[in-house]
Amino acid sequence: MAALVNSESRRAIRQFLGDNFTSLDSLELVDDLLKEEERTHAQLEQEAAVASKTTQSLVAEASSVADSVHSKAMHLIDVHSKVVGSTADESVSAWEFRDGTAVMELVSKLAAELQTYRRLRQAKEYIDEFIEIEKVAEQAAQSMEKSPQGVLSAYSASIALLSKHSSDSEITGNISAQNLLEYIKHTVSNIWTNAETTAANSQSECLRKMGWPGKIDPPVSVLGEFGANFSMLASLDHITRDASKVLRQSGVQLQSEDAPPLPLKHMARAVDIRMRYHFESARGTSRADRPEWWLSQVMNMVRSLVPLLELHVQSLYDRSALPPLDVRNEFIRLIQPIIQHKLAHDRSDYISNGLVIAHVSRELSEFEHTLQDVYFFDGPSVLDAFLADSEIFSAWVNAERKSAIDSYMETIADPGAFKQLYEDEVLDRDDPKPTRIAQNVVMLISDIAERYAVVPSCMQQLQFLSTTQFPVVIALVEDVEGEIDEFSRISLAFIRDASSNVSGSGANSPFAAQLRRLASWYQTVWYVEEAARDWNDSTIYVDMWAAVCRHARALGGDADPRDWRDECDDWGEKDRKVLDDCATLETNEEWLDGGIWERTIKTLGELKQRILELMSRAINKDTVGQLRAYRKKANWASEGVGADADVKVSIELSGLLPELSQLVSVLSELLPFSGSAYLLRSLAAELDMFLVDRVASAHQFNSSGGWQFAMDVSAISRVLHASAGGSALQGPSGQLLAKAMECARILSCSLDGEELPGNSDMTLSLSEWAPAILDAATDDKEAMLVLGKLGVKHLSIEQIRQLVKRRVDFAATFSSPEMF
């Protein structure tokens, strides 16, 4: 019946609108049509009253007729029994009257009359039930504005009627009973809807009178009115919950089983109405890229309602029969679907502009933290649900990756990408000096991390790291490696041409320019490496590392947390539970020493070392190339100096030493001390080997030539030590140019104790110790012990013997074939 009434009502409304409003001008007739419809409605009500009286009269008359028929039937049956019982004529059948009329004919007539009676009786009962439900509906309608208790009483009565008829076993197959049940269900729903709407509207009006959504300052009278409406909704809710079984069995769905308390639901609905009006319409305030606008409005509305909830609503609720709860917390929980609805409304805008999601997530996070910190809300997180949408999350990740890569590509394409940003005076020597591309990379990674730090899921944070941040560092590493590879292919340009001097000289030479280019790559990698070390110790990445360690332990076997990137694309819900389980602590000490950026730091360190090695090869090649003339010097055995001679550095080194000094100065500007020290130690080792193998071991010397060689080695050593504390440059073997120095001591050692300027500091002359060293019968270990006391510790015994043989003055004096 409810379905028929609703269908006819909708059809009548459409017909009415179609007949009377055919154009915009016809809207002017609204008032006249309304008045006409009101008159028609009044007339119909009068006719309905007359029909009701007529119906009642007919029901009474039908009841009277039925009683009369029943009485006559019983009388006839009594007469029949007397007639049959008094007959003495044996020829007359017991089933016939004396006049021959069949008894069964009479019984048939009586049965028909009885069936008529039963139908009339059912009709009377149907009409009685109909009248009763009509009375209930009328009572509810009359009490709606004036008597909440009357409405509740009528509502309870309607549910009682519903319970009575829904449990009737004879309803199946009985069309009238089914129609009556449908009408009762319709009446129950109408009473519920009208009562809920009336009380909810009155409650909303009370909130308006109190000053909401601004600061609430309720008059006592308004508080009383608000309390009455609140109690009305609470009682309506309570009755409905108690009758939930009956309603469910009857197929009446008034509210879900987990529905919130009705009065609090309508308080939240007031927030929902304002939200939709201002932020889900065509108004200028409805902007997806300004979540702070609507979230601040929601917060303001919550803030203005909380005092009312705590001071008045809580006590009203506690006096109701509803299950106990914290109304403040429940009200905030009811705000969550409103926020979710707004997010769903703007979803398409978020997917088309993924970077807005970062802003929305940040604002949502701050909003939820305020609810938790200020109002102690402990309900579900809207942000969790928002980011659980795979399309939303993917749109954000893809937008972050594209933005980061675009920014990186724009910076790396600039010719000044590796240009140092700050002057040398701004930063200490041992601080990494950022280039444009290095700073761009660090800022991109830091900014991305700051944006996704609000993401509650550690698994999603790891996906951000893998998808948006690591690719930036990987791109930088690949670009620097590409530069290095290209540089290596043209590294022969570092070989100086002594005749043309094409490389120039000093700090402005092409060679120095190339060193600055290499140093800019070194500073770039170093700056990012130091940033990665800081990231590795920051809270967000420490938590990520703990998560991947938990995951590796859950996988068991030989799983290594450092391999997490290889499998993160295949993670599912099971992996999320492990990764997001922050309560489980990691105890593996080996893993605890690592970090999420560990492999990145290692890769950057290796790349930095590769740059240093390339610089070292270039410097060594360039420096050794300048020693070409010195290597060819052939007058070491013809040097002659007197005791008072002023021995100077060889003329062949006059060009190298200033260049070497300038190199030391340039390196101290371009690199940290550790880097420049590494290069100078490497250069010293190269020079040491060159001086020993290509000079000392390749030429003949007398003591004067040996002393000239000693002066040259000392001059080179002083230049190398000038960069900083000489001890810091010394390698594991001790002083710089250790072997060359020992060669100089041997080659400059006096033959038989004669005095020469700056003579070797050996305590014994060459003639005193050399014969024993050259003697094949001398034990090598014993020989080295003696030489060690003389200050020769790094050269091998064979090298020492070769150097002694290079002393032409010693060979002329001691020309024994056994020695030479």
Side-chain angles (χ1 to χ4, degrees), residues 140 144 151 155 158 185-201 232-233 236 240 252-255 262 266:
M144 195 63 68
V151 176
Y155 181 58
S158 67
K185 289 161 61 175
H186 178 68
T187 302
V188 170
S189 297
N190 279 346
I191 295 175
W192 158 271
T193 302
N194 293 336
E196 179 190 15
T197 302
T198 301
N201 290 341
M232 169 69 176
L233 289 169
L236 196 64
T240 305
V252 179
Q253 182 69 32
L254 300 180
Q255 61 180 11
L262 200 57
H266 285 287

Side-chain angles (χ1 to χ4, degrees), residues 256-268:
S256 61
E257 294 184 2
D258 58 347
L262 200 57
L264 296 180
K265 170 186 172 182
H266 285 287
M267 289 186 71

Side-chain angles (χ1 to χ4, degrees), residues 291-335:
E292 64 273 19
W293 289 359
W294 55 270
L295 283 172
S296 62
Q297 287 299 312
V298 173
M299 183 58 71
N300 288 336
M301 287 187 276
V302 170
R303 189 177 293 116
S304 64
L305 276 174
V306 163
L308 178 69
L309 293 170
E310 295 176 338
L311 298 176
H312 301 287
V313 176
Q314 185 67 61
S315 60
L316 288 172
Y317 186 88
D318 291 342
R319 291 197 295 270
S320 72
L322 294 173
L325 53 75
D326 182 347
V327 295
R328 180 188 60 197
N329 198 71
E330 179 66 12
F331 176 76
I332 296 175
R333 189 184 69 81
L334 295 176
I335 297 297

Side-chain angles (χ1 to χ4, degrees), residues 413-482:
D414 192 310
F418 290 97
K419 183 179 180 181
Q420 185 174 314
L421 289 176
Y422 309 110
E423 299 295 332
D424 293 338
E425 294 77 10
V426 176
L427 298 171
D428 292 336
R429 178 182 179 183
D430 289 328
D431 291 332
K433 299 175 177 60
T435 58
R436 284 193 60 197
I437 189 62
Q439 188 175 67
N440 175 259
V441 168
V442 171
M443 290 182 64
L444 282 174
I445 293 174
S446 299
D447 290 346
I448 292 172
E450 183 179 358
R451 286 193 287 271
Y452 75 67
V454 301
V455 176
S457 169
C458 193
M459 186 180 85
Q460 289 183 324
Q461 289 183 343
L462 286 163
Q463 289 171 334
F464 260 111
L465 175 64
S466 175
T467 309
T468 65
Q469 292 173 294
F470 280 163
V472 176
V473 179
I474 292 171
L476 175 67
V477 170
E478 290 176 348
D479 285 333
V480 173
E481 286 180 337

